[in-house]
Amino acid sequence: METKGYTQDGTVDLRGRPVLASKTGKWKACAFLVGYEAFERMAFYGIASNLVNYLTTQLHEDTVSSVRNVNNWSGSVWITPIIGAYIADTYLGRFWTFTVSSLIYVVGMILLTTTVSMKSLRPTCTDGICNKASTLQIVFFYTSLYTIAIGAGGTKPNISTFGADQFDDFNPQEKELKVSFFNWWMFSSFLGALVATLALVYIQENLGWGLGYGIPTVGLLFSLFVFYLGTPIYRHKVKKTKSPARDLIQVPITAFRNRKLQLPNHPCQLHEHEPQQYINSGKRQVHYTPIFRFLDKAAVKDGNSSKPPCTVTQVEGTKLVLGMLLIWLVTLIPSTIWAQINTLFVKQGTTMDRSLGSSFQIPAASLGSFVTSSMLLSVPMYDRYFVPFMRQKTGNPRGITLLQRLGIGFVIQIAAIAIAYAVEVRRMHVIRVHHIMGPKETVPMSIFCLLPQYVLLGIADVFNAIGLLEFFYDQSPEDMQSLGTTFFTSGIGVGNFLNSFLVTVVDKITGGGNGKSWIGDNLNDSHLDYYYGFLLVISTLNLGAFLWASSKYVYKRETIEFNEGCIELESKALEISPLGLQV
């Protein structure tokens, strides 16, 4: 196929026909995809960044309830991709799963825009006294939100992996282009988030919530139109396994069944298909690694058993998922830190001096734009300067390894929460000096004091958010890359749920009896600094756990064989770097 100009990874068009490498895929195909990502991020952050304010000012929820509801919804948005990825990998494929889910997403946006626009679907206020939201109003509002969460479940894990599919791993030039793909993919995501936090938040608070949600709804519809214009040049991965996730069940069961068998002296004696079978199927052969050795018994040849053993490639696929799970566990606390941006950071900002000039007041949620601004500035610098510089030093095509990238991001994130703690300690000092007690009294301290924590979190995300997305895509078994990407999304989702849990528990423990809650409705008479200090401690402990998990991780090594020879995609998987993170 290579001599005829077709892609070498076996990708096809929408009708299942082989595609020409010169006329399909690469950045010209991705150009049709990035527009959707920008508008979808604009829609999501247009909701998420200011939702806590809508819940407290329009639906009149208390602080803890609003933070909990924002975290629960955000968590759902990031958790549902597990279902969407499974459907894509097992049944519909990335393209069709995305198509159906994007329509559900748009329906949710239309419902939400209708909900915030109609007076009958919002609580009314008379002489400053506001009624509580009725059951119908609450049901309609949250139905809209969770419809969006369901739609996001099918779009999030599939649109980014579909974009990565446009590059042929077995073409050296395209493989090099793919190294930059996730950086620039997230760059488009940051653009959408920047527009949301700068423009949409202001529109929502000053021109109307309906207009603030209506604009991204129209943008989302337009981006879908552009996405489908690129259909003729898209590449589609061929599903090579009927049920990709089946090995995750079959391998442990077979290993348990063979638990009494003796492992051979050398891995080459374990069961594996002949190379010709991989050549014929176009699948990648995954090499043996010496971790999670208890699973190796699934590939032990047993002449007495009627059931064939698993192959080394199947066993190694399961090992990959277990290894990624180990890394996933130590990303939950960093995701909890990220959850503060759209919740407590916003509420903290509403208590401070937000004036800019004599008449303009900065919406507290707009400070989120500095997260995205620092991302937008950092991504080109990382991709154009940092990576080439480190590539010369290390010889690694990525400059540094994926786990080293994550580690740097987590360290910067710890610095950000340390600064947040210090700023809150200062805010509490100013409150005591000026004897401020009322929940609506403005603390004479500029909201721009919060900028360093926002900027640092943006820089940290260039390392850990993009790094996590690339890590879980790159390290997933071949037929499970959509499902593998959900390690990234589900980590953020669980982080939001974890923050919701922590906020609720901390409020109940510290506010019980006659105690003063750390996170009360009146942040001017609370101890948010104690909560930030708590987050700082657990983040530091988590960094130690990450370094340990990284030292145990072994990168994927796989090959695909052609008649002309063998191409190995990873060749330094077992070397140890000076930082203790494996290359």
Side-chain angles (χ1 to χ4, degrees):
M1 287 176 58
E2 182 182 3
T3 57
K4 298 179 181 178
Y6 293 111
T7 54
Q8 300 172 47
D9 60 356
T11 46
V12 297
D13 64 12
L14 197 57
R15 296 182 180 180
R17 300 172 300 190
V19 292
L20 292 172
S22 60
K23 296 184 177 180
T24 60
K26 300 183 288 294
W27 280 110
K28 63 183 175 184
C30 291
F32 292 93
L33 308 179
V34 294
Y36 173 83
E37 180 65 10
F39 278 106
E40 191 277 328
R41 292 291 80 193
M42 185 173 77
F44 173 74
Y45 283 106
I47 301 169
S49 58
N50 215 17
L51 183 56
V52 70
N53 277 338
Y54 184 88
L55 296 178
T56 52
T57 63
Q58 303 298 311
L59 294 186
H60 313 299
E61 295 183 358
D62 61 74
T63 300
V64 171
S65 295
S66 62
V67 169
R68 183 171 57 242
N69 287 331
V70 171
N71 286 148
N72 289 342
W73 175 72
S74 295
S76 299
V77 168
W78 294 103
I79 283 289
T80 51
I82 295 175
I83 300 172
Y86 178 77
I87 292 172
D89 282 343
T90 307
Y91 300 107
L92 299 181
R94 307 203 215 316
F95 181 85
W96 290 113
T97 303
F98 169 80
T99 296
V100 174
S101 301
S102 62
L103 296 177
I104 296 173
Y105 199 123
V106 169
V107 169
M109 287 297 299
I110 292 172
L111 287 174
L112 184 63
T113 304
T114 303
T115 302
V116 301
S117 300
M118 296 178 64
K119 290 184 178 181
S120 61
L121 294 175
R122 300 197 314 271
T124 57
C125 296
T126 306
D127 298 327
I129 301 175
C130 299
N131 299 318
K132 288 186 176 181
S134 68
T135 302
L136 177 64
Q137 290 167 341
I138 292 173
V139 167
F140 207 96
F141 180 77
Y142 281 104
T143 297
S144 305
L145 278 183
Y146 282 91
T147 300
I148 292 171
I150 293 171
T155 58
K156 281 186 183 299
N158 292 306
I159 187 67
S160 59
T161 48
F162 186 66
D165 289 345
Q166 306 309 308
F167 300 91
D168 188 344
D169 272 334
F170 308 121
N171 182 312
Q173 293 179 333
E174 291 193 27
K175 184 172 175 60
E176 186 173 342
L177 291 174
K178 190 175 179 177
V179 170
S180 297
F181 168 74
F182 285 106
N183 290 333
W184 292 102
W185 176 262
M186 293 297 281
F187 184 86
S188 68
S189 174
F190 301 155
L191 277 177
L194 181 64
V195 172
T197 50
L198 275 181
L200 292 183
V201 166
Y202 179 82
I203 291 171
Q204 289 163 3
E205 295 191 9
N206 295 276
L207 301 179
W209 292 90
L211 182 62
Y213 289 154
I215 291 173
T217 302
V218 174
L220 208 57
L221 285 167
F222 173 74
S223 66
L224 283 174
F225 173 74
V226 173
F227 171 82
Y228 290 112
L229 286 179
T231 301
I233 63 172
Y234 293 150
R235 298 174 182 177
H236 303 263
K237 289 279 189 181
V238 176
K239 188 158 67 78
K240 298 168 184 175
T241 305
K242 187 174 183 180
S243 181
R246 184 178 59 183
D247 290 346
L248 300 182
I249 301 172
Q250 182 182 354
V251 169
I253 290 176
T254 307
F256 180 77
R257 189 175 67 235
N258 295 348
R259 65 190 181 279
K260 296 182 180 180
L261 298 180
Q262 190 72 26
L263 282 172
N265 294 326
H266 197 279
C268 67
Q269 295 175 290
L270 294 171
H271 176 63
E272 182 59 292
H273 290 316
E274 292 296 324
Q276 188 61 43
Q277 187 163 337
Y278 287 103
I279 295 174
N280 295 338
S281 65
K283 291 190 67 174
R284 304 174 189 177
Q285 180 180 355
V286 185
H287 289 275
Y288 175 83
T289 56
I291 60 170
F292 303 119
R293 293 196 66 199
F294 61 92
L295 292 175
D296 290 348
K297 290 196 174 183
V300 173
K301 301 173 184 178
D302 180 18
N304 299 323
S305 176
S306 58
K307 296 181 179 180
C310 299
T311 63
V312 170
T313 293
Q314 287 176 303
V315 172
E316 290 303 316
T318 305
K319 287 183 180 181
L320 284 172
V321 173
L322 285 179
M324 291 192 298
L325 180 61
L326 195 63
I327 299 298
W328 178 85
L329 287 171
V330 291
T331 68
L332 300 184
I333 297 299
S335 294
T336 301
I337 303 302
W338 175 258
Q340 310 311 313
I341 293 174
N342 296 326
T343 53
L344 291 179
F345 282 9
V346 175
K347 294 301 294 181
Q348 185 183 18
T350 59
T351 68
M352 303 171 77
D353 181 8
R354 297 183 286 128
S355 58
L356 190 65
S358 57
S359 58
F360 183 76
Q361 280 231 324
I362 302 168
S366 286
L367 253 65
S369 63
F370 287 94
V371 176
T372 49
S373 296
S374 60
M375 288 175 175
L376 288 170
L377 291 172
S378 301
V379 166
M381 293 175 64
Y382 182 90
D383 191 71
R384 297 304 181 194
Y385 299 102
F386 181 80
V387 171
F389 174 77
M390 293 305 298
R391 186 182 290 154
Q392 291 180 346
K393 299 288 185 182
T394 65
N396 189 309
R398 292 185 173 94
I400 55 177
T401 69
L402 293 171
L403 290 177
Q404 287 171 339
R405 182 174 185 171
L406 297 183
I408 293 171
F410 293 156
V411 170
I412 297 173
Q413 199 177 59
I414 290 173
I417 199 64
I419 290 174
Y421 167 75
V423 170
E424 182 60 14
V425 169
R426 175 64 182 170
R427 191 183 75 91
M428 297 303 295
H429 173 73
V430 173
I431 287 172
R432 287 192 295 272
V433 169
H434 291 84
H435 307 290
I436 295 170
M437 296 298 293
K440 294 187 178 180
E441 288 186 73
T442 300
V443 180
M445 182 176 173
S446 174
I447 193 173
F448 289 112
C449 291
L450 301 177
L451 278 188
Q453 63 204 56
Y454 278 96
V455 170
L456 280 177
L457 284 176
I459 296 172
D461 250 30
V462 172
F463 287 89
N464 55 27
I466 303 175
L468 279 171
L469 180 60
E470 185 175 0
F471 174 81
F472 288 127
Y473 175 85
D474 184 78
Q475 294 299 297
S476 297
E478 181 186 8
D479 292 317
M480 295 177 60
Q481 285 176 314
S482 288
L483 197 58
T485 305
T486 62
F487 274 97
F488 167 68
T489 60
S490 63
I492 298 175
V494 173
N496 276 275
F497 287 129
L498 181 58
N499 188 56
S500 176
F501 171 77
L502 290 175
V503 166
T504 302
V505 170
V506 166
D507 176 62
K508 287 187 179 298
I509 293 175
T510 60
N514 297 321
K516 182 188 294 185
S517 173
W518 291 1
I519 316 168
D521 287 338
N522 181 4
L523 288 185
N524 291 336
D525 191 33
S526 300
H527 269 298
L528 198 57
D529 53 335
Y530 291 175
Y531 186 66
Y532 286 165
F534 169 67
L535 292 179
L536 177 59
V537 170
I538 62 175
S539 296
T540 304
L541 293 174
N542 185 76
L543 179 63
F546 168 77
L547 292 174
W548 174 83
S550 299
S551 69
K552 301 297 181 183
Y553 189 80
V554 178
Y555 284 85
K556 176 172 68 173
R557 295 177 66 236
E558 57 183 16
T559 61
I560 184 167
E561 299 195 32
F562 297 99
N563 293 328
E564 295 87 352
C566 175
I567 295 179
E568 186 168 321
L569 299 183
E570 287 287 350
S571 59
K572 295 185 177 181
L574 300 178
E575 293 179 24
I576 305 296
S577 76
L579 291 179
L581 307 184
Q582 290 179 347
V583 181

